[in-house]
Amino acid sequence: MNKEIIFNMSTAFRGEYAILGYRFGHGEKAACIIGAMRGNEFQQLYMCSQLIAKLEQLEAKGAIVANKEILIVPSLNYNSMNVGKKFWVADNMDINRSFPGNPEGPATSRIAAAILERVKGYSYGIQFASFYMGGEFIPHIRLTEEGAHNVSMASLFGMPYILAASERAFDATTLAYNWQKQGTSAFSVYTGATERIDEERARQGVAAILRFLTRMGIIRYNCHGGYISSVVEEDDLLSIRADMPGFFRKKVSTNTEVARGQLLAEIVDSFRGDVISRMVAPTDGIIFYQQVQPMVFQNSVAFKMIKRIHE
Amino acid sequence: MIDTVVSVEMLVEEVLRIKKNRLAPDECTGTEKRLCLASGSHGDELSGQYICYQVIRRIKEEFHNLTGIVDVYPAMNPLGLDAQTRDFPLLDVDMNTVFPGDDDGAILEHAASRIIKDMAGADICLDIHSSNSLIREIPQVRLNDDVIESVMPYAKIMNTELVWIHPSTSVRPGSLAYALNTIGVKTMVIEAGVALRIDYDYCEQIVDGIFSLMKQMGIWAGEVKPVRQPMIATDGDVWFVNAESSGLFVPNIKHSMKVKKGEKIGTIVDVITGSVEERIYAPCDGLVFTFREYPVIEEGALIARIFGGDLHE
């Protein structure tokens, strides 16, 4: 393993800030993994740390295939993590809205440009991503519209689902979009949690990366075959919204099969404590997403379901 | 008439309401032109609040001169304005990145969608901003380069010093301006001053520009003040000055000054060693239309933008 500085800069009061990369193997740029880009992405950083530990063991055993190089960048924004902020400390900018970046621009733009330059040319790019809505997802691989043709390759991760994303207004400023644009097959891995560590799902995510690297001939590793992924179009997910605000008393979890009419959650009045609304499944299916905050706004999305699918 | 455009019950008791004030002649024919004034999508920008107040006050004073519709949306992000946060609280999302929104989406996307639906069909919209807390801006109109032909005639009469044709954050996909231009509402972004403060002179200047625009649209029969002729900037005319070191910025010039190439703009000093880390010089002759307000600097921070084009001298 080689540790390298990918980007460094001075700060006014906290000394040097350096973004570090960990390189395994030598030769052809095979795969690059990017971890936390925001200060609240603890699960994403944790998964990178576990992946680095595993690859270090594998490298010691000679299990990195000759002429293949893997680069892992655990965090682009650990200074925000250190002060409990989500975005860049100095100006509250989001690095994952700063791509492709500008080497002469502000710090987040410089970081984006430096990262994009360093990760250029890798065959496969993997980002441990988080969603801006707080909540839990079934672990899945997300493909941008630009990378929609990579479905069969995405299935090699062996994750339960592949989500073919619909276009969002800010896509062009994200790493995944720009990575894909410059020729790397880019995948976003969602393991469900962000601000807390979900040990089991982190393990599942790390296993998925190792499985993919094995199947692409980058490492030698004997692992479980994983899932035969189901492909879901993001536009086909059914949003179920809270019709009233209040405490959110959930009755099901993600990855649960539910029947039409089944109780999903109760909304409890914030002062009087009585149940003021019951959320029921509008159709048969599987819960793909659920909000995890103790309370909900009126009209907020509490669940997203994959319609008419069984376990 | 005050209408509620968005209404969502919050977690406990309160209701999030995004309101507009519709000012219209007592008897409408249905063919009146409509201007929308939008402000407060960033909760730390306050100039737009004062501008909206002054526009409404002046119209009410001479209500008989109003011959069209003016819809005023002073506080599109009322929670952010209340909490003094730029982004939409709870989600930490910049509201000006989620337009046109989604009626079935989360709270912010839902609100954005309702706002767009309400503004749809208007002739012109002004999205009024006041920079951020780090840099101060001269009054300017910002335009996307794909709407120059339709919007420039109106941008020129807004009484600003500058019209900048530039794909900035305020006019990119996801912004209110971009979303409205896409559906045929001619939309300009106004930038002036600095966040968390109100520059009253700048605000009065823009209010005069708004009445000039209303006159041009044929929805104001009253007198308007003559407007200044703006400098027109494209990206090629604008020089960005970014810091290459970190520390405390000590300025040698003031905002809105004209500078000569090589003139010292300021220094960045290290407060622990007492040393000068960097001396910053103007890269061209021109007008400093953007200047650093917040003195703590890190590498890459924007110090100034200088317009090096035709200054109309």
Side-chain angles (χ1 to χ4, degrees), chain A residues 216-238:
Chain A
M216 302 316 291
I218 299 166
I219 61 172
R220 283 182 287 271
Y221 184 64
N222 190 17
C223 57
H224 183 271
Y227 292 87
I228 298 171
S229 309
S230 298
V231 180
V232 178
E233 296 285 335
E234 192 168 30
D235 286 341
D236 290 342
L237 290 175
L238 179 64

Side-chain angles (χ1 to χ4, degrees), chain A residues 9-13 86-88 90-92 104-107 110 132 169 173 241 245 270-271 295-298 301, chain B residues 8-13 87 90-93 103-105 107 109 134 173-174 242-244 246 296-300:
Chain A
M9 59 178 282
S10 63
T11 67
F13 299 108
K86 185 174 177 182
F87 299 127
W88 189 250
D91 57 9
N92 208 38
E104 296 177 349
R110 289 180 183 212
Y132 79 89
T173 59
R241 299 150 69 95
S270 52
F271 284 170
M295 301 186 82
V296 284
F297 285 94
Q298 182 194 25
V301 177
Chain B
V8 178
E9 288 192 54
M10 294 170 66
L11 302 178
V12 185
E13 287 298 301
D87 294 341
L90 300 169
L91 299 176
D92 279 341
V93 173
D103 209 33
D104 290 328
I107 183 168
E109 290 163 318
L134 306 177
N242 292 79
E244 294 305 329
S246 302
V296 176
I297 297 289
E298 65 179 12
E299 254 182 77

Side-chain angles (χ1 to χ4, degrees), chain A residues 5 159 179 192-193 203 217 256 296 307:
Chain A
I5 293 175
M159 296 278 273
W179 220 349
R203 216 167 24 239
T256 304
V296 284
K307 293 177 283 187

Side-chain angles (χ1 to χ4, degrees), chain B residues 5-312:
Chain B
V5 178
V6 179
S7 173
V8 178
E9 288 192 54
M10 294 170 66
L11 302 178
V12 185
E13 287 298 301
E14 294 179 279
V15 178
L16 163 67
R17 291 190 182 92
I18 301 175
K19 296 178 180 177
K20 74 168 178 185
N21 190 348
R22 167 159 290 193
L23 300 136
D26 288 335
E27 290 181 12
C28 286
T29 62
T31 59
E32 285 79 9
K33 290 201 167 171
R34 175 155 70 108
L35 169 67
C36 292
L37 301 180
S39 177
S41 58
H42 293 144
D44 59 349
E45 297 180 14
L46 306 176
S47 296
Q49 316 302 302
Y50 183 72
I51 290 169
C52 288
Y53 157 73
Q54 281 292 6
V55 169
I56 294 169
R57 185 190 64 77
R58 284 202 210 176
I59 289 174
K60 281 181 167 175
E61 270 184 10
E62 298 180 56
F63 197 72
H64 58 281
N65 283 322
L66 184 66
T67 56
I69 299 168
V70 181
D71 281 336
V72 186
Y73 306 72
M76 291 193 291
N77 176 9
L79 300 183
L81 282 157
D82 219 25
Q84 300 173 39
T85 58
R86 185 172 184 80
D87 294 341
F88 188 83
L90 300 169
L91 299 176
D92 279 341
V93 173
D94 181 342
M95 187 176 195
N96 209 26
T97 63
V98 300
F99 290 100
D102 176 1
D103 209 33
D104 290 328
I107 183 168
L108 188 55
E109 290 163 318
H110 172 74
S113 167
R114 291 291 170 97
I115 289 169
I116 291 288
K117 279 188 180 133
D118 202 72
M119 291 180 175
D123 295 279
I124 295 181
C125 177
L126 296 181
D127 186 15
I128 304 164
H129 288 264
S130 44
S131 187
N132 56 36
S133 59
L134 306 177
I135 53 174
R136 179 179 290 275
E137 297 281 3
I138 210 166
Q140 62 199 266
V141 176
R142 291 188 185 170
L143 296 183
N144 235 10
D145 48 11
D146 55 352
V147 296
I148 296 173
E149 205 172 305
S150 60
V151 181
M152 184 60 91
Y154 301 104
K156 281 182 171 176
I157 58 167
M158 283 307 305
N159 202 30
T160 59
E161 269 80 1
L162 189 72
V163 174
W164 186 10
I165 302 158
H166 171 64
S168 74
T169 313
S170 296
V171 287
R172 280 203 312 215
S175 69
L176 177 69
Y178 188 91
L180 286 176
N181 276 314
T182 304
I183 60 168
V185 179
K186 298 182 183 75
T187 303
M188 297 175 265
V189 173
I190 305 279
E191 284 280 4
V194 63
L196 299 172
R197 300 281 180 275
I198 295 177
D199 186 314
Y200 294 97
D201 291 339
Y202 282 174
C203 290
E204 297 293 351
Q205 181 181 332
I206 290 165
V207 172
D208 288 340
I210 290 171
F211 278 87
S212 154
L213 172 67
M214 289 164 60
K215 186 89 172 174
Q216 175 87 355
M217 289 174 69
I219 62 173
W220 186 248
E223 290 296 313
V224 296
K225 294 179 185 168
V227 294
R228 62 198 76 200
Q229 189 190 354
M231 295 167 277
I232 308 295
T234 59
D235 276 357
D237 301 320
V238 176
W239 296 73
F240 285 65
V241 181
N242 292 79
E244 294 305 329
S245 48
S246 302
L248 205 63
F249 177 62
V250 182
N252 282 77
I253 61 164
K254 290 192 185 322
H255 182 250
S256 305
M257 271 179 64
K258 286 172 185 158
V259 292
K260 291 285 180 195
K261 183 176 180 181
E263 186 175 340
K264 194 169 163 189
I265 292 176
T267 51
I268 297 175
V269 300
D270 185 322
V271 298
I272 187 76
T273 62
S275 58
V276 172
E277 294 294 300
E278 186 181 354
R279 293 176 177 81
I280 300 169
Y281 300 97
C284 65
D285 292 358
L287 173 76
V288 179
F289 71 93
T290 302
F291 198 50
R292 188 75 184 180
E293 181 80 8
Y294 186 68
V296 176
I297 297 289
E298 65 179 12
E299 254 182 77
L302 183 63
I303 300 290
R305 282 189 282 241
I306 302 175
F307 173 63
D310 181 4
L311 295 176
H312 296 164

